[in-house]
Amino acid sequence: MEVETRPIVRAVGLGKQVSSPEGELTILDGIDLAIGRGERVAILGASGSGKSTLLGLLAGLDLPSHGRVELDGTDLATLDEDGRARLRAGHVGFVFQSFQLLPGLSALENVMLPLELAGRADAAALARETLEHVGLTARARHYPAQLSGGEQQRVAIARAFAPRPALLFADEPTGNLDRRTGQTVIDLLFRLNAEQGTTLVLVTHDVHLAGYCERRLVMEAGRLAEEAA
Amino acid sequence: MNAPQTCGLALRQLGRDLRSGELRVLLFALVVAVAAVSAVGFFTDRIHRALERQAGELLAADLVVRASQPLPPALSDAAHERGLRVAQTWSFPSVVLAGERSALAELKAVSPGYPLRGALKTSRAPFAPAQVTQQLPAPGSVWLDERLFAELGVQAGDRVDVGASSLKVDGVIAYEPDRGGDLFSLAPRLLMNLADVPATQLVQFGSRVNYRLLLAGTPAALAEWRAWLQAPGRLPEGARLQDVREARPELQAALDRAQRYLGLAAVVAVIVAGVGIAIAARRFALRHWDGVAVMRCFGATQARIAALFGIELLALGLLGGLAGAALGWAGQEGLTRLLGFLAGGELPAPSWRPLAPALATGVVATLGFAAPPLLHLRRVPPLRVLRGDLGPVDVWAGSAYVAALAAVAGLLLWQADELKLATLVLAGTAGAGLLLAAGAWVLTRTLARLRGRVGVAWRFGLANIARRGGASVVQVVAIGTGLMALLVLTLVRGDLLAGWRDSLPVDAPNRFLINIPPAEVDAVAAFLRTHGVPQAELYPMVRGRLTRIGERAVSAADYPDPRAQRLVEREFNLSWAEQPQSDNRIVAGRWFGTEARGRAEVSVEADLAQTLGIHLGDRLRFAIAGQDVDATVTSLRSVEWDSFHVNFFVVFPPGVIEQMPATWITSFYLPAERSALLADLVRAHPAVTVLDIEALLAKVREIIERVVQAVEYVFLFTLAAGLAVLFAAIQATRDERRREAALVRTLGAPRALILKGLLAEFAVLGLLAGLLAASAAAVLGWGLATQVFEFSYRPDPLLWLSGALAGVLGVGAAGWLGTRDVLEQPPLATLRGG
C-alpha cells in the first residue's frame, strides 16, 4: 500500500522569543517536529511550558522568531496573514479550552459558521447533521449561555469537525470541564477523529487525555522531546 | 465564497445579532438618531412651508413679476396651465380731485382674486377699528386710506375724480398685505378696481405704471413655472421676479434666523446621535473580538471580515433609517396634534422631501460613526483565541474617526445648509471634544490620588474610574458631548431665543411719521411731547442717488446681484447727525469727530457697502436735487434693521447737505388704543404722512413666536437622542462592570457596598462630564450667539450648576438602570458569561 510520506505539519528549528519587562524571554527553542497525515499527537506540558505557543505557531496563528513551519507542504512564512487564513479555511479545525463559541449565535449557527465561511451551500444541513452526531439536536436553537460547559464543548467539537478538516488542533479541550463531562468530550473527540481520519494535534497537561494519542511529545522549558516509550 | 454568499452571510449575521440583542443599543441609538433628525426634518419642513406661506402674505402672493411695461398674457397663461392662481395690480401716481381739493395719490388698481395671500382690511371711517374683508372695491367705487381722506376732506359716499372718471368713495383701506417695499416714499393710497382703469384714461403710452403679476400655488407648480420662465425671451426686458425673501428685508432677517435655529436643532441632533452610535458600535465591536478571532482561525480573510461587517452595517443603517424615519414621522405628527400647534392656522401636510435626508442620515451616521470600530475588527489577530489579552493591532485608533468626522461635516453642511453655522458647530464640537478629553484626563489623574482619603465604596468607584483611565476619558467625553448638546439646547437656547425676542420688544416703534416739512419739525415734536410720546426723535432725510464710487460711474448693469441693482437704481435716504444712533455699531473706521462739521465725509451702512463694493476711504458722489455732492467714506456701520428704528444707509456730518431740500422723519411706539391721536396729528399737519407698521411688526413677532415654539418641540427629540447617548455610554462598560461586581461579590462584598461603589463612580463621572460640558456649552453658546445669531451673550453661572446636576443625576440614574441587574443576577451567572 502506498503511504503518504509528506508530513502534514512540519516545524524546523522553531523558536519564539517575546520581550518582557525582564528582557527577552525565550518561550520556544529549536523545535523540530514532523506530524504525519492521520497521526494523533499529544503535546504534554505543564502550564507555561510553551505548548499553547507552539500550537499557535503550528496553526499559523502566529509567526515564529526563527525557524519555519510547513502546513501541508506550504511554508507559512511565505504567506501573509490572509494567505495563512485561506490555507486554514475548510482544512484546519480548532477546539479550545474556553470553547470560543460566539455568544450571539445559536448552537446550530456556531456550527454553521466555518461552513458558511468556506462558502458551503449546504451549511445548515451539514451543521444539523453534525450536531445530531454529537447528540445535541435538541439544543440546536440554544445560545451558548444556555448550555452547560460540556454541551458548549460538544458544540465546539461539532463546529470543528463539520467541514471535515484534514487537521484538527485541540488546546486543552477538557481543561474547563469536570472529569465525567471531560470523558464524554474525549470520547466524542476521538470517535469523530476516527470516523473522519483527521490528523489531531492535542495540547494538554492531562496525561490521561494524552494517553488516547499514539504519539506523545513532552514540552519542557521551551524544548520538545518524544516521550520515552 | 463569492459576493452573493458574503452578502447572504452578512445579512444572516445581522439577523443573528439583532435576535441575540447584540445590536440592541446600537440600533436604539440609530433609530433615535434618525427619528430625531427626521422629526426635525418633517417638522421644520412643515413649519418652514407654513412660515413661507405666511411671509407670502406680505407679498400678497408667493411670487411676483414686476415690470414698467404691461406684462404679456403668455406669463399668466403659462401660470394658469400649471394650476397657479393669478392676479394683477397696476400702481401709478395721479392727482385725485374732490371738489376744490386735490391730492397726489398712489393709485392701485387690482384684479379679482387679489390678494392671493393674506387679506385686505377695511374700516367704515378713518382710524376706526379695521376688519378683514374678502371684498374688493366694486367697479365704480374706490377705497381711500386715512391720509387721503384727510387730505381730500371727504367722507364715505362722496365722489372723487380720478382721471376722466368720477368714482364713489366706498370705504377706508386700512391694510393691504403688500403695501410698498419702500416704506418711506409712499403717497397716500387709493385702491380701485382694475376694470375701471381704461375709463380713467390715465394709463397711456409712456405712463409711469408699476405692473405686477401675482402668482400663488404649490411649490412644485411655482418651480415648474419658474423653470418655464427660464427660456430666453419669456421674461420681458426690464421685468423682475420677486419672491418673499427679496421683498421684505425685515422678514428675510426673521426667516433667516428661523432657518438657523431649526438648522441648529437638527445639527445638534445629528451630533448627539453620532456620539451614541459611535459608543454603541464600539461596544458591539469589542464584543465581537472573540468571534472574529474564531472566524479568522476558521479561515476568514481580513477582506472577508471587513465585507461581512461592512454589509451588515449598511443593512443596519438602512433598517434603522427606515424605522427611525417612520418613528420621526409619527413623532412629528403626534406632537403636532398633541400640542395643537398653530391652532390659529393650518400647517401644510408633511412632504416626503425630508425622507431621503433622514434615510441618508441613518446610513451616513452608521457608516461614519460605527464603521471605524467595526472595520477595525479585521485587525483582530487570530491568536486571540489562545491569548485573550490580544486586541486589534492599533496604529492610531483616532485616525479611524476621520471618517466619522467627514460624515459629521457632511451631515452638518447638509442639515444646517449654511457653511458658517456648520463650520462653527463642527469646530465648536471638535474643540469641545478636545477640551472634554483634556479635562477628563487631568481630572481622572487627580481623582486617583484622592481615593486613599475616602470611604470604601467611594474608593471602589474612584479606583474604577482611575483604573479604566482611557475608557473613563472616552466615557466622560461621550457623556459630556451629549450633556453639552443638551445644555446648549436647554439653557443657551433659552438665552438665544430670549435675545431674539428682545431684539423686537413689545414697544418697538410701530408708527412712522414721514414727510415732515422743515418748518413744521418743531411743531410736530411739540405735539408728540405734549401727547405723551416723548421718545420720538426727529431725523432729517434728504433723497439722493449714488452716481460714483471713486473714479467709477455707478450703473446697475455693473452688478450681477439683483439687490445691488435695485439699490443703485433707487434714491437713497441720506441724513446727517453728530452722534451715531444707539443701535448702530462702527465696524470699520471712525465716527465723525466734533471737528468734522462741514467736512465732506460719510458713514456708510456695512451691508450696503459690501453689496455695492464700497470701501473705507472711497470717494462717493451723490446727485442730490440736481447737484453733485462728494464725500469720503470714513466709517462703516452695522445697523439693526429689524429693530424698526429709523436708520439710514448713508449719514453725513452736520453742515454738508443741510442746505439741500430735506424732510424729517421719526418713529415711535403708540399703543393701538391711542391711534386716534394720529388723526388729530394729520388734521393739524396735513403734509405729514403716518405709516402704521403694526401689522408688519405683528407678523414678524408671530413668526418669531412660532419658531420659538417649533424649536422647543424639536428640542424634545434631541433630548431623546441625548438620553440614548447617555445610556449607550453606560452600556459601553457594562460587561466589564458586571464581571467585576460579580467577582467582588464572590469575594464577599455586600450588595450595598457594590451599589454605593457603582453609584459613586457614575456620580463622579457625571459630575466631571457635567462641569466640563457646561464650560464647553458656554463657549459654544457664546460662539453661536456672537457669530451666527448676532446677539450679545453672557453665560449664566447656573449653567455650571445645571450641568453638574444633570450629569450627576442623569448619569447616576442611567448608570443604575443600566447596571442594576449586576446586583440582581447570581454572581455565578455573570462569571460564566451569561
Side-chain angles (χ1 to χ4, degrees):
Chain A
M1 193 175 77
E2 180 82 8
V3 178
E4 170 87 63
T5 50
R6 192 177 69 184
I8 189 163
V9 181
R10 201 159 96 101
V12 181
L14 208 56
K16 180 77 180 173
Q17 271 108 30
V18 292
S19 47
S20 75
E22 288 81 35
E24 200 82 337
L25 199 68
T26 299
I27 299 177
L28 299 178
D29 189 17
I31 289 177
D32 294 302
L33 171 68
I35 296 170
R37 212 163 277 272
E39 259 194 300
R40 296 191 285 198
V41 181
I43 299 173
L44 265 161
S47 291
S49 61
K51 54 189 192 304
S52 287
T53 305
L54 177 61
L55 182 125
L57 291 177
L58 295 180
L61 304 181
D62 196 9
L63 287 178
S65 305
H66 43 83
R68 63 191 164 90
V69 175
E70 285 171 16
L71 216 54
D72 207 9
T74 307
D75 183 354
L76 292 183
T78 62
L79 301 174
D80 62 3
E81 185 134 321
D82 275 349
R84 298 197 296 276
R86 273 186 219 104
L87 192 65
R88 286 193 296 271
H91 302 105
V92 179
F94 291 89
V95 176
F96 305 104
Q97 177 175 4
S98 51
F99 322 138
Q100 298 286 12
L101 296 179
L102 275 59
L105 303 192
S106 67
L108 179 69
E109 288 163 348
N110 263 291
V111 179
M112 282 167 68
L113 184 68
L115 297 166
E116 289 177 320
L117 285 172
R120 297 281 293 260
D122 55 349
L126 204 55
R128 214 166 275 125
E129 191 183 306
T130 318
L131 264 185
E132 191 186 340
H133 225 79
V134 301
L136 285 176
T137 306
R139 299 289 214 170
R141 299 173 72 87
H142 288 213
Y143 287 94
Q146 300 165 317
L147 301 172
S148 72
E151 287 169 335
Q152 288 191 46
Q153 194 60 306
R154 276 151 69 194
V155 173
I157 289 172
R159 178 177 69 182
F161 280 102
R164 300 189 157 261
L167 176 61
L168 190 118
F169 290 100
D171 179 29
E172 300 276 17
T174 58
N176 277 0
L177 303 173
D178 62 66
R179 180 156 283 279
R180 228 181 91 192
T181 315
Q183 190 58 50
T184 319
V185 165
I186 292 169
D187 292 345
L188 188 63
L189 183 68
F190 284 90
R191 176 160 61 85
L192 282 168
N193 171 261
E195 281 171 19
Q196 295 191 7
T198 318
T199 308
L200 178 66
V201 180
L202 181 77
V203 163
T204 183
H205 67 279
D206 180 357
V207 184
H208 168 72
L209 173 58
Y212 285 82
C213 298
E214 299 88 8
R215 188 174 164 201
R216 288 175 291 279
L217 304 165
V218 178
M219 188 91 208
E220 211 176 291
R223 304 191 71 92
L224 196 62
E226 297 273 348
E227 192 187 59
Chain B
M1 196 175 187
N2 52 27
Q5 282 176 328
T6 304
C7 267
L9 182 55
L11 292 181
R12 281 200 298 283
Q13 187 174 292
L14 173 64
R16 290 164 186 168
D17 284 332
L18 282 174
R19 221 172 37 244
S20 66
E22 284 293 305
L23 281 170
R24 207 171 288 156
V25 180
L26 179 55
L27 189 65
F28 176 63
L30 179 62
V31 169
V32 170
V34 178
V37 172
S38 64
V40 168
F42 283 124
F43 201 63
T44 54
D45 177 62
R46 291 179 78 176
I47 300 283
H48 198 77
R49 284 188 296 140
L51 290 179
E52 295 238 317
R53 183 179 290 180
Q54 285 197 350
E57 289 177 13
L58 291 155
L59 202 61
D62 295 329
L63 200 60
V64 168
V65 187
R66 293 174 55 182
S68 51
Q69 301 291 325
L71 288 159
L75 293 182
S76 44
D77 291 347
H80 279 302
E81 278 168 28
R82 284 160 183 81
L84 294 170
R85 291 188 296 130
V86 176
Q88 285 188 64
T89 69
W90 296 9
S91 308
F92 48 95
S94 179
V95 172
V96 180
L97 303 169
E100 295 302 303
R101 297 172 81 161
S102 69
L104 179 67
E106 184 73 17
L107 273 53
K108 180 164 166 181
V110 298
S111 73
Y114 169 87
L116 299 179
R117 299 278 184 223
L120 293 173
K121 285 185 189 169
T122 56
S123 59
R124 290 300 309 153
F127 298 104
Q131 263 146 17
V132 170
T133 177
Q134 306 299 324
Q135 312 285 314
L136 291 177
S141 66
V142 292
W143 295 352
L144 312 182
D145 69 2
E146 289 150 350
R147 194 170 143 222
L148 197 52
F149 266 93
E151 287 189 21
L152 292 174
V154 292
Q155 292 183 336
D158 292 352
R159 295 192 84 80
V160 291
D161 293 334
V162 180
S165 301
S166 168
L167 301 168
K168 183 181 153 203
V169 177
D170 200 23
V172 183
I173 172 74
Y175 171 75
E176 36 181 316
D178 57 336
R179 177 146 193 183
D182 186 356
L183 287 174
F184 308 124
S185 57
L186 289 177
R189 169 70 85 214
L190 179 147
L191 191 73
M192 62 189 287
N193 199 296
L194 194 62
D196 286 336
V197 174
T200 63
Q201 298 174 19
L202 285 172
V203 175
Q204 303 190 353
F205 183 74
S207 297
R208 246 188 75 199
V209 179
N210 180 2
Y211 296 91
R212 289 162 30 109
L213 177 68
L214 279 55
L215 304 157
T218 61
L222 285 165
E224 207 184 302
W225 184 84
R226 280 185 110 142
W228 171 86
L229 196 65
Q230 290 298 311
R234 292 214 164 125
L235 188 67
E237 187 87 0
R240 200 175 294 133
L241 211 56
Q242 196 180 23
D243 66 18
V244 63
R245 300 190 153 264
E246 299 157 43
R248 309 305 295 245
E250 320 82 15
L251 267 177
Q252 192 186 336
L255 273 182
D256 280 354
R257 272 193 183 158
Q259 198 161 13
R260 280 184 215 154
Y261 271 122
L262 297 173
L264 177 68
V267 159
V268 173
V270 171
I271 292 181
V272 173
V275 173
I277 292 168
I279 302 171
R282 196 167 164 272
R283 173 173 190 257
F284 176 78
L286 282 175
R287 288 173 67 94
H288 275 68
W289 281 12
D290 287 334
V292 169
V294 170
M295 289 163 84
R296 302 274 287 131
C297 271
F298 283 116
T301 58
Q302 295 199 7
R304 170 79 48 77
I305 299 284
L308 280 176
F309 283 96
I311 295 168
E312 180 177 3
L313 209 55
L314 197 66
L316 181 73
L318 275 174
L319 191 72
L322 275 173
L327 192 67
W329 188 88
Q332 61 84 27
E333 188 65 38
L335 209 61
T336 310
R337 280 163 197 232
L338 193 72
L339 297 169
F341 187 70
L342 295 189
E346 82 291 15
L347 205 55
S351 74
W352 290 110
R353 217 166 34 178
L355 187 66
L359 283 181
T361 302
V363 173
V364 173
T366 316
L367 290 184
F369 289 101
L374 287 197
L375 293 183
H376 208 57
L377 278 172
R378 72 185 193 278
R379 297 186 183 276
V380 171
L383 194 60
R384 186 179 161 85
V385 293
L386 298 176
R387 288 186 44 200
D389 57 324
L390 290 179
V393 189
D394 222 356
V395 188
W396 180 54
S399 67
Y401 282 95
V402 170
L405 210 65
V408 177
L411 285 174
L412 277 178
L413 254 179
W414 192 0
Q415 289 284 338
D417 202 19
E418 194 187 327
L419 188 63
K420 190 174 172 189
L421 180 65
T423 315
L424 191 81
V425 173
L426 190 65
T429 314
L434 283 178
L435 175 79
L436 284 167
W441 189 80
V442 171
L443 289 175
T444 48
R445 290 293 126 125
T446 318
L447 282 178
R449 304 220 178 97
L450 266 181
R451 65 182 157 171
R453 301 179 201 169
V454 291
V456 62
W458 283 92
R459 194 159 63 229
F460 183 54
L462 292 182
N464 275 341
I465 294 176
R467 186 172 39 77
R468 271 194 263 276
S472 294
V473 171
V474 169
Q475 222 160 12
V476 169
V477 171
I479 296 171
T481 311
L483 279 176
M484 178 185 75
L486 297 185
L487 286 173
V488 167
L489 277 181
T490 45
L491 299 169
V492 180
R493 169 206 58 139
D495 292 345
L496 289 180
L497 293 184
W500 189 17
R501 274 183 179 139
D502 288 351
S503 72
L504 193 57
V506 201
D507 57 352
N510 59 353
R511 321 280 163 152
F512 282 79
L513 298 186
I514 60 173
N515 293 342
I516 305 170
E520 294 178 34
V521 169
D522 293 339
V524 169
F527 179 93
L528 291 175
R529 248 194 331 272
T530 50
H531 288 87
V533 192
Q535 80 273 32
E537 198 169 331
L538 277 72
Y539 301 93
M541 188 165 99
V542 171
R543 294 181 69 81
R545 191 178 293 276
L546 178 68
T547 55
R548 295 192 88 84
I549 300 173
E551 294 306 306
R552 175 165 62 90
V554 174
S555 151
D558 298 343
Y559 295 97
D561 177 14
R563 176 166 180 254
Q565 291 174 1
R566 272 199 302 284
L567 284 168
V568 166
E569 280 171 0
R570 73 178 209 196
E571 290 190 312
F572 287 174
N573 297 320
L574 315 172
S575 188
W576 67 84
E578 226 163 85
Q579 295 298 324
Q581 270 178 254
S582 58
D583 63 347
N584 286 199
R585 201 160 47 87
I586 306 297
V587 293
R590 288 184 52 207
W591 182 257
F592 324 118
T594 42
E595 74 288 354
R597 165 169 272 278
R599 238 190 245 167
E601 296 181 6
V602 277
S603 173
V604 179
E605 194 260 341
D607 261 355
L608 175 87
Q610 198 185 359
T611 310
L612 297 184
I614 297 172
H615 303 99
L616 213 57
D618 279 353
R619 194 133 183 96
L620 305 183
R621 172 170 294 172
F622 293 93
I624 306 173
Q627 292 183 46
D628 284 343
V629 175
D630 291 305
T632 307
V633 180
T634 53
S635 68
L636 300 179
R637 287 166 298 128
S638 72
V639 170
E640 286 177 27
W641 292 107
D642 48 6
S643 73
F644 289 89
H645 287 108
V646 174
N647 263 302
F648 299 94
F649 279 132
V650 177
V651 177
F652 289 79
V656 184
I657 54 169
E658 268 175 51
Q659 75 287 4
M660 299 292 177
T663 56
W664 262 252
I665 173 172
T666 183
S667 72
F668 51 86
Y669 172 73
L670 191 69
E673 62 273 16
R674 295 188 59 200
S675 298
L677 186 66
L678 297 174
D680 295 344
L681 182 87
V682 171
R683 265 194 289 279
H685 303 278
V688 174
T689 303
V690 178
L691 283 181
D692 179 355
I693 59 158
E694 185 61 43
L696 177 64
L697 275 179
K699 210 87 227 169
V700 174
R701 267 201 203 97
E702 192 185 339
I703 288 177
I704 292 178
E705 279 309 314
R706 291 193 172 182
V707 172
V708 168
Q709 276 179 302
V711 172
E712 282 172 356
Y713 299 154
V714 161
F715 157 74
L716 290 178
F717 290 93
T718 315
L719 189 73
L723 291 178
V725 170
L726 214 59
F727 208 69
I730 300 297
Q731 287 279 61
T733 49
R734 186 165 165 249
D735 298 339
E736 203 182 330
R737 260 179 241 284
R738 282 171 55 162
R739 256 194 307 281
E740 283 168 7
L743 204 63
V744 178
R745 276 181 72 192
T746 315
L747 295 176
R751 279 170 49 122
L753 177 75
I754 297 169
L755 181 65
K756 274 191 212 153
L758 280 175
L759 287 180
E761 182 181 350
F762 287 130
V764 172
L765 273 181
L767 182 71
L768 295 186
L771 289 176
L772 292 170
S775 310
V779 175
L780 196 60
W782 174 82
L784 286 173
T786 55
Q787 301 301 308
V788 181
F789 297 113
E790 292 160 15
F791 304 136
S792 60
Y793 169 72
R794 207 154 42 87
D796 188 335
L798 274 179
L799 186 68
W800 278 268
L801 187 65
S802 314
L805 269 178
V808 171
L809 295 179
V811 179
W816 178 70
L817 282 174
T819 48
R820 109 198 108 131
D821 61 337
V822 164
L823 302 170
E824 277 155 21
Q825 229 173 31
L828 186 63
T830 308
L831 289 177
R832 273 178 55 184

